[in-house]
Amino acid sequence: MLIRTFTDPIISKRSGRAKSMDVLIGGCVIGAMLVGLIVFFIVKSEFSPSSRAPRQEFAEHTGTLTQLGVLGNHDGKVNSIAVAPRGEIAISGGDDRMVRVWNLKSGKATQTLSGHSQKVLSVAIDPTSTHFASGDEDGSIKVWNAASGEEHIQIKAHSGSVRTLQFYSLGHALVSGGSDRTVLISEIQTGRELHRYKGHSAAITTASLSIDGRLVLVGCEDGSISVWKVRDEVSAIRRLDGLGGPVSIVGTSSDGKVLTAISKNGTLGRWDIDQGKQLDAATFAPLPKGVQLEALAGSMGGTRLLFSTPDKMYRSFDFEQNRSDATEKTFSSSISATCFTNDSQFGLLGTENGDVEIWTLPDSGLKEIQNLQALAVTVESRGREHEEYGQHMELAQEAVDKKDAEGAEKEFTIARDLATPGTIEYDVADMGADQSGAYKDKRGQYVSLMEQGRDLMKEGEFSAARRKFESAKKVYPEGQEAQRGIAKCDESEKTRLILNTAKIAADLAFDFQPAGRDLLTLGTDFAWMYDREKVRDFQKNSHSPWFLFSKPEVPEPPMGLHTSPILWNVRMTTDKPISSDNLKIRVKLIRATDSKVMAEQDYPLKKGDVVSPINGKADAPAGGWTSSEYYFRKFLVASVSPEDAKEFGTDELVYEHNSPSAFSLGLLRWKKDEIDLTPQMVHQSELHLVNMAVSGNIGDAFRLDVSGTISPAGPSTLKRIFRRNFKGEQVISPSGMEYDNLTMNFFHMVADNKLPFAAMIYQYESLDATKWNLYEKGQTCHLLKQGGGIRVSINSVTHERKTTRVNWEQISSQNSKYWLPDCGAFNVKAWYGHYDFPDPVEPPAREHLLQKFKR
C-alpha cells in the first residue's frame, strides 16, 4: 500500500446505509474540500492589512519533499490530476488524449479511458467516485462510469478548451470553465445545461460553487474574479481585482461572506463579498515580475499549498508552520499538474514528459489535522441535513429510468421543496420536475410554470423566470402569456444592464458647521467618515523611509458631531441615455454591523439623461452615529404598467447595482476635567503637583487648555531667595510664542539658568522630572505615548530655590512665605479623546485627525 486513506473510517461507518445517503455523504466531501480551502483562507493573522501584498517571512527547507514512487506515465504532458474524495484512486489527463486511473493503495494503473479527440486539459471525480469527468481542448466534456470505464454522457460545453472542472456535492451537477470566457453548470445524469455565465474578461482558470450552492465563484487568466448568484446569468454581483496574476483557487468562508483567491504570482487575497472591498493580501512565494507558479493546489485541511516554481522545483508552503519546503534537486521536465491526497501527507504530480509520481510531504501541523477531523464531522452533518432530499432525488431518477413521468415529477417536486431556493440543488430538482411534468396535461403544466415564473419575477430572479416562461412556451405554444413573460424578462435584463454598467460614485459630508469655533466647545463626541483604502494606503506609506521626504497625500475625511446628519451626492453616469421615464434610483444607507437601513430615498430618472445626480440626507439615529462600516446599496426600480402589474403580480421590478459604496465611520469621544490651579494648592500638596481627574490609554488624544495669571512673590522676597544670583524680573514669552488676553499670561522671572518662573507645566503620570512639559499654546493636542493620567504644577513651585551650597531645593510645603495670598490662578482644562474606529487607525493617521482640534 502506497498511502493510507483518510476517508476509510467514513466508508466503514457508511457501509450499511442506502445508496442515496452514500451519494450525499460522499458528495459532501467535495463541499468539505471547499471547507478545507476556507479554513486556509481564514488564516487572517498571517496577513497584513495592506492594499498591496507584503512578503511573508518564513523558514525555507530543501530536500524535505521525497519521492515515494512513480505510478506510471502518459504519452505526453500531464495536464490535470484529481484524487477521489474517498482517497483510494486518482485520475490524470494528458496531451495523449487519455484519462488514466490509478489505484493509490497498489500504486498501479487500473484503467485507461479513451475517446477524446483532443488533449485532455482538466479532470474531476464525483463525490462517490462513481463518475469521472474530463474536459478537452475542443471544449467537450465526457462523464465516465468509474466502475466500467464506459462513457456515460458527452457534453459539448464550450467553444474553446475546458480549463477547469469540478463536481458539486449535493446537486449532481458539474461546473466547467473554458477559454471561451464562459462558465457552465451541467446536470450530469442527462448532460442538460442548467446555467451558463458569460461576460468574463479573460479565459476561465478556476470555477466552483460555494458550499451553500448559492454562488458561482470564478477566477480568470487576467487576475479578475467574479461572483454570480446561481440563478442570475445576466450580471455578476461582484467583479473583483487585485491579485495581478492568473487565479488558480477561489472559495468562500462557511458563512459565504468572505472570498479568498490564490494567484499564480504567489499572492493570496481576501475580499468582503457583500461590500466588494479587499480585506487583505499576502505573498507566500515572492517571484520576479512576469514569472509565475505552475500546478498550484491546496490541501483539504486548508493550511498547505503545493506548486512548482520556474526553476523546476517541486515545493510546498505551510501557512500554519510558516515554512517552505522543496525537493533536493530540480526536475528534468517541468511539473505541469499536482494535487494533495486527502490526508495532506502526500502529493501527486505530473510532468511535461508524462510521468505521474507520488511524493511524501513533511508532517502536517496540528491545525491541518484538526481541520481534517472537522471535515469528517462536516461530511456527516451535511449528509444528514440533505438525506431526505437525496432519497427523493434517487427515487425520481429511478422513475425516469422506468419512464414513469408522474412518479418522477412527484419525487422531483418533493426534493425541490426540501431544497433551498436559489441553490443549485434546488435548480436540479426543479428542472427535473419541469421535464417530467411535460408528459402530463399540457395546460395544467403551462399554468404551473407561469405561476413559478411570475413568482421569480417578483423576487428579481429574471434569468430563472425567463427559463420558466420558455419552458411554459414549449409545453403550450398557444399561450400568449408565456411570450409576454419572455419579452418582459428580456426588457428587464436590458434595464438591469443600464445599472450594472453605470459608473456610480457617492460624495459624503456631514451637515456640520463649526463656523471657526473651537470644536471642543461644540460637543464631546465627533464622528469621522473615511475611505478605508485611502487610510490603509496612507498607513502603509507611513512605514516607508520615504515617508518624511515624499509627504504623501493625507486623506481628509469629513467630520461632524456624532449627531450631525450625513449628506450624500450620488452621481450616476451611464454609457447610454436613460431609456424611459418609468425608472428611478432607490438608495439605501445601511449599517454593516447589524444590517440596519439608516435611510432610504427614491429619485426619478429622466429619459435621455446620461448623468444623474442624486442628493440625499440621513439624520443621525437615536443616540447618534455608532462606530461601524456603512454602505450604500443602489437599486434601479422600473414601474410596471397596470396591465403588466395585473399579469405579473407586481407594480415594480427592482434591480440591484453590483457594487455598494462602502465607507467607515469612527468616533472620537472626548471627556474633560477642569481645575483652578493655585500656587497654594500646588505648594501644599505632598509632591508639589496636582493630579487631574481624567486618564487615558496609549494612543488616546490629549489636549490642555490653560488661561489665567500667576503673580509670584515680590522682587525683595525673591532677592532673599536667590541672593546675589537674582538678576531681576523680566516679562518674557517662550521663544516664538505670543499670547493674547484670552489665554494665560506668562510672568517669568529669569535666574542664571534662564528658566522661566510662574509658568504652567504638566507631565504624564511619572515622577521623572525630566518629562515635565511647559504648556504652550497650539502645541498641546497630541497622542498619549503611554497610558495614565496627567499631573499639573507651576514651575516656580516645583523648582523653588537655588543657594551657593545647594543647586536647587524644594521648600517644605509648610512654608508659604514665597507666595502672596491672592497671587491668582491658572484655569486648566484637560481633554482626553478616545478613538472608537471600526478599523485600526495607526498613529500617523490619528495625528492627522487631531489637526482640527489644535488651537
Side-chain angles (χ1 to χ4, degrees):
M1 179 185 295
L2 279 179
I3 63 171
R4 62 186 181 276
T5 306
F6 165 67
T7 50
D8 281 345
I10 297 177
I11 296 173
S12 62
K13 289 180 183 178
R14 310 233 23 93
S15 58
R17 299 199 176 186
K19 177 184 176 183
S20 62
M21 190 60 180
D22 281 333
V23 171
L24 291 169
I25 292 300
C28 288
V29 180
I30 293 294
M33 290 171 118
L34 293 175
V35 175
L37 290 175
I38 289 157
V39 178
F40 167 74
F41 300 153
I42 295 175
V43 287
K44 183 176 179 181
S45 60
E46 301 288 347
F47 311 145
S48 299
S50 171
S51 58
R52 296 182 180 271
R55 172 170 177 164
Q56 292 285 103
E57 297 299 331
F58 48 80
E60 298 187 63
H61 304 271
T62 303
T64 46
L65 304 185
T66 57
Q67 188 187 70
L68 187 62
V70 178
L71 298 176
N73 56 63
H74 283 259
D75 186 14
K77 178 182 176 183
V78 180
N79 294 310
S80 181
I81 300 178
V83 173
R86 294 184 176 223
E88 297 178 4
I89 59 174
I91 64 173
S92 58
D95 279 3
D96 57 1
R97 298 176 286 184
M98 301 295 179
V99 176
R100 302 189 186 275
V101 184
W102 314 95
N103 186 302
L104 297 183
K105 288 188 174 182
S106 65
K108 297 179 179 180
T110 60
Q111 296 181 76
T112 298
L113 310 179
S114 60
H116 283 282
S117 60
Q118 298 292 330
K119 299 175 182 178
V120 177
L121 301 182
S122 53
V123 294
I125 304 177
D126 89 332
T128 58
S129 303
T130 57
H131 290 97
F132 307 143
S134 53
D136 64 24
E137 199 171 43
D138 191 40
S140 296
I141 296 174
K142 291 183 181 292
V143 179
W144 308 85
N145 184 297
S148 66
E150 296 178 352
E151 183 180 311
H152 170 67
I153 196 168
Q154 178 170 329
I155 306 169
K156 180 55 180 175
H158 299 275
S159 60
S161 58
V162 181
R163 302 284 296 274
T164 178
L165 280 176
Q166 186 174 116
F167 281 94
Y168 179 59
S169 57
L170 299 178
H172 312 289
L174 181 67
V175 184
S176 62
S179 59
D180 60 356
R181 305 184 181 185
T182 67
V183 172
L184 174 67
I185 301 180
S186 306
E187 197 270 323
I188 63 173
Q189 287 295 333
T190 63
R192 290 175 299 194
E193 178 179 317
L194 289 171
H195 297 287
R196 187 180 292 271
Y197 309 91
K198 304 176 182 179
H200 299 94
S201 56
I204 309 300
T205 50
T206 179
S208 62
L209 282 155
S210 62
I211 289 181
D212 59 9
R214 294 176 181 273
L215 300 177
V216 183
L217 315 169
V218 182
C220 295
E221 185 76 33
D222 62 357
S224 62
I225 303 157
S226 58
V227 182
W228 303 72
K229 286 184 179 179
V230 163
R231 284 184 172 179
D232 187 358
E233 301 173 16
V234 178
S235 58
I237 61 170
R238 292 288 172 269
R239 294 192 184 273
L240 309 169
D241 199 2
L243 291 184
V247 182
S248 290
I249 300 172
V250 63
T252 67
S253 57
S254 56
D255 59 8
K257 293 184 177 181
V258 176
L259 178 144
T260 303
I262 304 173
S263 169
K264 286 186 177 182
N265 65 5
T267 302
L268 183 151
R270 302 192 319 140
W271 286 263
D272 182 305
I273 294 178
D274 287 341
Q275 301 184 29
K277 67 184 179 185
Q278 188 169 358
L279 300 176
D280 43 38
T283 297
F284 58 87
L287 297 166
K289 186 176 181 180
V291 177
Q292 296 181 355
L293 306 175
E294 296 297 334
L296 189 59
S299 68
M300 284 185 66
T303 66
R304 317 183 88 184
L305 289 176
L306 282 173
F307 51 88
S308 170
T309 44
D311 56 2
K312 298 182 181 180
M313 295 282 280
Y314 191 38
R315 298 178 184 271
S316 71
F317 189 87
D318 192 313
F319 276 88
E320 177 186 0
Q321 302 181 66
N322 203 31
R323 61 178 285 166
S324 173
D325 293 88
T327 52
E328 184 174 2
K329 299 179 180 179
T330 61
F331 280 63
S332 59
S333 178
S334 297
I335 299 166
S336 51
T338 189
C339 67
F340 282 92
T341 57
N342 292 331
D343 59 2
S344 302
Q345 297 304 301
F346 303 90
L348 275 71
L349 66 82
T351 66
E352 282 198 351
N353 65 12
D355 290 338
V356 179
E357 305 176 5
I358 185 165
W359 285 69
T360 301
L361 309 177
D363 289 339
S364 301
L366 178 61
K367 189 173 184 179
E368 177 79 14
I369 297 172
Q370 291 173 338
N371 292 346
L372 290 173
Q373 294 171 345
L375 291 182
V377 175
T378 301
V379 167
E380 292 287 343
S381 174
R382 196 158 163 76
R384 285 191 298 271
E385 290 174 3
H386 294 82
E387 182 174 8
E388 189 176 357
Y389 169 87
Q391 290 172 347
H392 287 286
M393 286 294 290
E394 184 176 345
L395 291 172
Q397 191 57 50
E398 291 175 357
V400 169
D401 295 339
K402 297 176 182 178
K403 298 184 179 180
D404 177 7
E406 185 173 351
E409 185 195 26
K410 175 183 175 182
E411 297 300 332
F412 278 130
T413 301
I414 294 173
R416 181 189 65 194
D417 294 341
L418 289 169
T420 303
T423 62
I424 195 65
E425 56 264 33
Y426 181 97
D427 286 357
V428 172
D430 187 44
M431 177 171 283
D434 288 350
Q435 294 291 330
S436 57
Y439 295 100
K440 292 176 58 182
D441 174 63
K442 292 186 176 181
R443 181 63 185 173
Q445 181 70 6
Y446 176 82
V447 171
S448 175
L449 289 169
M450 287 300 299
E451 289 176 352
Q452 295 175 47
R454 294 185 187 105
D455 289 340
L456 290 169
M457 283 198 69
K458 294 177 187 177
E459 298 169 8
E461 302 281 359
F462 302 111
S463 294
R466 190 182 200 281
R467 192 182 296 275
K468 289 293 182 183
F469 293 139
E470 287 175 343
S471 297
K473 184 180 179 182
K474 291 177 182 178
V475 170
Y476 190 66
E478 295 84 356
Q480 296 300 311
E481 299 92 341
Q483 185 58 48
R484 287 201 297 272
I486 294 171
K488 180 56 68 175
C489 287
D490 289 342
E491 179 185 338
S492 299
E493 291 175 352
K494 290 178 182 178
T495 304
R496 170 180 281 178
L497 288 175
I498 294 176
L499 185 65
N500 285 340
T501 58
K503 297 177 182 178
I504 298 182
D507 296 323
L508 304 173
F510 279 105
D511 187 8
F512 173 62
Q513 301 295 331
R517 298 171 60 188
D518 183 359
L519 296 180
L520 290 183
T521 66
L522 300 176
T524 57
D525 291 348
F526 291 87
W528 299 80
M529 287 187 294
Y530 60 100
D531 183 288
R532 180 176 182 172
E533 296 302 323
K534 289 184 179 179
V535 171
R536 180 181 294 167
D537 288 342
F538 171 72
Q539 293 182 168
K540 178 179 180 295
N541 290 335
S542 69
H543 297 292
S544 167
W546 291 101
F547 178 75
L548 297 176
F549 305 101
S550 62
K551 296 181 180 180
E553 181 180 353
V554 181
E556 184 70 33
M559 185 200 74
L561 297 178
H562 76 300
T563 55
S564 299
I566 292 178
L567 305 178
W568 69 72
N569 177 20
V570 178
R571 178 185 177 91
M572 184 177 79
T573 306
T574 56
D575 294 335
K576 297 179 180 179
I578 300 299
S579 57
S580 67
D581 287 324
N582 72 330
L583 301 178
K584 59 185 176 182
I585 290 290
R586 179 169 296 155
V587 178
K588 294 182 180 180
L589 176 62
I590 299 173
R591 183 166 55 198
T593 49
D594 55 6
S595 299
K596 181 179 180 181
V597 177
M598 312 303 295
E600 178 178 339
Q601 294 185 17
D602 285 353
Y603 307 89
L605 301 176
K606 294 181 180 180
K607 182 178 180 179
D609 283 353
V610 175
V611 177
S612 302
I614 304 168
N615 301 312
K617 178 179 178 181
D619 292 323
W625 297 106
T626 56
S627 177
S628 177
E629 285 198 338
Y630 294 78
Y631 58 94
F632 287 103
R633 291 179 69 180
K634 285 88 65 179
F635 305 85
L636 186 63
V637 181
S639 300
V640 176
S641 67
E643 296 79 11
D644 286 343
K646 184 177 180 181
E647 170 67 30
F648 299 109
T650 179
D651 58 359
E652 63 180 28
L653 300 176
V654 180
Y655 320 82
E656 182 175 0
H657 187 257
N658 61 17
S659 180
S661 302
F663 65 93
S664 292
L665 193 150
L667 299 179
L668 184 55
R669 302 185 181 277
W670 290 93
K671 56 184 178 179
K672 180 183 73 169
D673 184 36
E674 186 172 1
I675 188 172
D676 287 331
L677 190 68
T678 66
Q680 288 88 349
M681 180 189 302
V682 173
H683 188 65
Q684 292 173 8
S685 66
E686 182 177 351
L687 297 175
H688 291 263
L689 52 84
V690 175
N691 288 319
M692 301 292 286
V694 292
S695 61
N697 300 315
I698 296 175
D700 282 352
F702 167 64
R703 188 177 108 177
L704 275 180
D705 286 339
V706 180
S707 62
T709 303
I710 298 293
S711 300
S716 58
T717 303
L718 293 173
K719 286 180 180 180
R720 288 197 303 274
I721 298 173
F722 296 107
R723 300 182 181 177
R724 58 182 177 276
N725 292 324
F726 179 69
K727 294 184 178 180
E729 58 183 305
Q730 180 182 355
V731 179
I732 63 172
S733 297
S735 177
M737 301 300 298
E738 295 182 359
Y739 297 86
D740 55 32
N741 57 7
L742 297 178
T743 59
M744 65 172 285
N745 296 310
F746 286 103
F747 188 72
H748 292 174
M749 300 299 171
V750 181
D752 283 345
N753 60 359
K754 304 294 184 180
L755 281 177
F757 285 75
M760 218 295 295
I761 56 178
Y762 67 96
Q763 65 173 190
Y764 304 113
E765 277 196 51
S766 169
L767 295 178
D768 186 351
T770 62
K771 293 184 179 179
W772 281 99
N773 300 288
L774 176 67
Y775 173 81
E776 296 185 35
K777 177 186 175 183
Q779 297 184 10
T780 56
C781 195
H782 52 264
L783 299 181
L784 285 172
K785 294 184 175 66
Q786 63 189 59
I790 293 293
R791 304 170 187 263
V792 292
S793 187
I794 300 173
N795 199 16
S796 54
V797 173
T798 304
H799 306 289
E800 187 66 51
R801 148 177 180 152
K802 179 180 179 181
T803 66
T804 56
R805 289 178 295 104
V806 180
N807 189 28
W808 289 101
E809 67 178 14
Q810 191 161 272
I811 297 176
S812 169
S813 59
Q814 284 76 33
N815 191 334
S816 60
K817 66 180 181 178
Y818 303 111
W819 290 96
L820 304 177
D822 57 350
C823 57
F826 289 148
N827 177 256
V828 183
K829 296 184 182 72
W831 299 83
Y832 281 86
H834 174 69
Y835 289 88
D836 181 11
F837 279 35
D839 303 302
V841 179
E842 295 181 1
R846 291 190 178 191
E847 288 280 10
H848 173 64
L849 298 181
L850 289 177
Q851 296 301 318
K852 294 180 181 295
F853 293 97
K854 291 191 175 184
R855 297 180 57 184

